[in-house]
Amino acid sequence: MNQAGGGATGYAVEARGVAKRFGRITALRSVDLDVPRGGVTALFGHNGAGKTTFLRIAAGLMRPTSGELKIAGLDAHKEAAAIRGHLGVVSHELFLYGDLSAMENLRFYGRLYQVDDLEARCEEVLTRVDLIHRANSRARHFSRGMAQRLAIARAFLHRPDILLLDEPYTGLDQRSVATLNELIEGFREAHHTVLLTTHDHHLGFTMATDIAILRRGEVIHHTPAAALSREEFDALYEESLQ
Amino acid sequence: MRFLQQLFTIFMKDLRLEWRTREAMSAMLLFALLVLVIFNFAFNPDREMVLAIGPGILWVAFTFAGVLGLNRAFASEQENGCLSGVLLTPMDRGAIYLGKWLANLCFTLIAEAILLPFFVLFFNLSLTTEIPPLLLVCLLGTIGFTAVGTLLAAISANTRLREVMLPVLLFPIIVPVIIGAVQSTGLILNHETEGLTSFIRMLALYDVIFLVTSTLLFDFVLEE
């Protein structure tokens, strides 16, 4: 559906001094982060570091208190509607209606995204996440892992070019993890961009082309994954927890 | 065209969910029927009394039942963060509001269509020529309070005391609708025409103002 818009830079996400406060609580102090197009950027950090808040801001579900954010070269505040078509989001929340079947959930979102060949596309993504045999089952009757796979199918449905994945491996068994990794790999091969958060730092490190570590609402490290050995990354990750 | 398609998609989704669960309709009907029965036993009204207090009783039943339905309106959207899922799509926020409003209007009108014969039966009324103007008043009154109610249900859905918050926010704002609807219904049941047109115009004006402002304000209501 989309090709990342005409930003002059090679970045899919550009954050400058993005801050978010909830009353007296500061969730993001000041995030500066450039997410290169066509790569997988893994955002690490301890609980409360601000990963989910940053992803919700990037997804347009939350406004930053201050700072500037560009997605696909577009201003996140002024061109929010245009940006939404570029994004596929997997979050802690599944965004699924329990009393609609898997197929009905996908049809509903597909119509809102104006997906071409909707029926065929729904079947295609359900097949990719190995849920085609449960297409007519209500989402309420799915296990957590199956529901997560359906949520992933929903995120891919409209052929986005930027994926925002917040703890996408939650509840997935080994087979589903492999399926998701294949989807991410295929996405990357198509020169699309992935920004993901995960607590599984080994899996995240394996998947990532870029690594960013958040601590107390600030990016304290941002480097290409190839520039670090596993041991160096582990040391950096441990440091971020202190 | 795209706006209407998106509006229709939201509306059909709500209709399908309600058909599957019947949560809103069953609560609305049961509650409103009880209101009618209790008022009937409490007052045991004769014909004169029915004409005096009947319109008030009818609209108390309608609005209280409507509030129950409105309280359920965003329950399905809160489950699994579905409202966020809808907000992630590139659709117009006004279409979300209008789709939700249309579904609420539909549920409330269906409930009213079922309740009205019970009202006639319990209070021993015989309606013939009064039916068309009465239906018009029901339609205009219901459009008014569901227009405001859908907006306020979206606000109260994110509060801890949402069951209480919605009526607290809603009732002061819909006072003009309730007054207009009760007065119009009274005039119709009493076969009086003087002043009826003014009340109907007032209801129609209220509907237009609150539908337009609510559609425009919905985007701000959804901001986190």
Side-chain angles (χ1 to χ4, degrees):
Chain A
M1 177 181 177
N2 299 302
Q3 281 300 313
T9 65
Y11 299 113
V13 178
E14 297 165 81
R16 294 282 173 275
V18 171
K20 181 69 184 178
R21 282 185 290 280
F22 299 99
R24 290 180 186 173
I25 297 167
T26 302
L28 292 180
R29 207 174 295 273
S30 176
V31 172
D32 294 300
L33 182 68
D34 291 327
V35 176
R37 289 181 201 271
V40 177
T41 299
L43 198 54
F44 297 97
H46 58 83
N47 288 331
K51 303 184 299 294
T52 296
T53 303
F54 181 73
L55 247 61
R56 285 184 74 80
I57 290 171
L61 291 173
M62 209 181 256
R63 274 197 194 173
T65 310
S66 60
E68 287 176 20
L69 184 67
K70 282 188 177 180
I71 310 282
L74 302 168
D75 186 292
H77 179 52
K78 291 175 187 158
E79 294 160 289
I83 287 170
R84 284 185 216 122
H86 286 285
L87 299 176
V89 180
V90 174
S91 154
H92 295 288
E93 298 172 313
L94 296 168
F95 309 142
L96 300 173
Y97 293 92
D99 287 303
L100 294 185
S101 71
M103 194 60 148
E104 286 167 342
N105 266 292
L106 293 183
R107 269 193 212 119
F108 169 70
Y109 282 109
R111 286 186 187 120
L112 298 186
Y113 278 108
Q114 308 266 305
V115 173
D116 298 328
D117 289 334
L118 184 56
E119 286 301 305
R121 180 63 181 162
C122 290
E123 285 175 15
E124 183 190 335
V125 292
L126 280 175
T127 307
R128 291 286 295 275
V129 297
D130 200 18
L131 281 176
I132 192 69
H133 61 295
R134 298 292 300 272
N136 296 315
S137 301
R138 290 191 196 183
R140 185 177 302 291
H141 301 145
F142 284 5
S143 68
R144 170 71 203 191
M146 290 166 75
Q148 182 74 352
R149 269 147 58 198
L150 181 56
I152 290 164
R154 188 202 53 77
F156 277 88
L157 180 68
H158 57 291
R159 303 179 180 92
D161 52 35
I162 300 170
L163 269 184
L164 304 176
L165 308 176
D166 191 8
E167 298 289 348
Y169 298 102
T170 307
L172 295 183
D173 58 23
Q174 286 302 310
R175 193 168 142 215
S176 305
V177 167
T179 305
L180 176 59
N181 286 347
E182 273 174 34
L183 284 167
I184 292 174
E185 199 54 44
F187 201 74
R188 200 176 104 186
E189 281 169 9
H191 303 292
H192 295 330
T193 309
V194 180
L195 175 59
L196 70 88
T197 73
T198 178
H199 284 294
D200 188 336
H201 62 284
H202 287 299
L203 190 55
F205 182 76
T206 310
M207 293 300 297
T209 53
D210 278 73
I211 283 166
I213 300 178
L214 264 178
R215 186 170 68 181
R216 295 186 196 130
E218 281 180 306
V219 175
I220 56 167
H221 292 290
H222 184 200
T223 178
L228 291 174
S229 66
R230 171 68 66 88
E231 290 71 29
E232 286 169 327
F233 167 67
D234 285 347
L236 275 178
Y237 187 76
E238 288 303 317
E239 186 190 317
S240 79
L241 298 177
Q242 288 161 15
Chain B
M1 194 63 194
R2 187 176 165 180
F3 183 90
L4 289 177
Q5 280 175 347
Q6 292 171 333
L7 183 162
F8 186 69
T9 302
I10 296 281
F11 170 65
M12 287 307 292
K13 182 266 298 170
D14 276 6
L15 239 53
R16 177 168 279 140
L17 285 175
E18 182 55 28
W19 178 253
R20 298 239 164 107
T21 63
R22 294 181 177 85
E23 283 177 1
M25 286 301 298
S26 52
M28 288 163 80
L29 282 171
L30 201 64
F31 182 81
L33 268 175
L34 283 173
V35 169
L36 292 180
V37 170
I38 288 167
F39 272 116
N40 190 33
F41 282 122
F43 292 113
N44 195 17
D46 56 25
R47 173 141 184 92
E48 267 186 36
M49 201 173 175
V50 166
L51 295 177
I53 65 168
I57 294 170
L58 185 67
W59 280 95
V60 164
F62 283 175
T63 47
F64 278 49
V67 168
L68 282 182
L70 289 166
N71 258 327
R72 299 293 312 156
F74 283 87
S76 63
E77 305 296 346
Q78 282 184 309
E79 186 188 14
N80 293 332
C82 288
L83 186 59
S84 294
V86 172
L87 295 177
L88 285 170
T89 68
M91 74 180 294
D92 192 303
R93 305 287 163 94
I96 303 175
Y97 165 77
L98 287 172
K100 300 292 293 179
W101 165 73
L102 206 58
N104 290 332
L105 177 69
C106 188
F107 302 146
T108 314
L109 286 176
I110 291 170
E112 289 176 5
I114 295 169
L115 290 168
L116 204 55
F118 283 100
F119 172 73
V120 171
L121 188 74
F122 290 159
F123 293 92
N124 226 359
L125 291 166
S126 96
L127 301 179
T128 47
T129 53
E130 301 91 335
I131 289 175
L134 192 58
L135 291 181
L136 177 66
V137 169
C138 286
L139 177 68
L140 291 175
T142 310
I143 287 174
F145 84 76
T146 51
V148 184
T150 303
L151 181 75
L152 297 179
I155 295 172
S156 63
N158 289 319
T159 63
R160 265 184 289 178
L161 292 169
R162 60 177 171 273
E163 310 282 329
V164 179
M165 193 59 74
L166 178 60
V168 167
L169 293 172
L170 178 64
F171 287 141
I173 301 176
I174 61 166
V175 165
V177 178
I178 302 301
I179 291 172
V182 169
Q183 293 297 326
S184 310
T185 307
L187 291 172
I188 292 165
L189 293 181
N190 284 290
H191 303 281
E192 291 174 22
T193 50
E194 200 180 319
L196 181 60
T197 317
S198 306
F199 280 120
I200 287 177
R201 275 189 194 146
M202 186 192 85
L203 285 172
L205 184 65
Y206 182 98
D207 292 353
V208 171
I209 290 171
F210 276 91
L211 256 181
V212 171
T213 49
S214 298
T215 307
L216 297 174
L217 287 174
F218 198 64
D219 195 11
F220 299 100
V221 166
L222 296 175
E223 265 187 31
E224 204 169 317

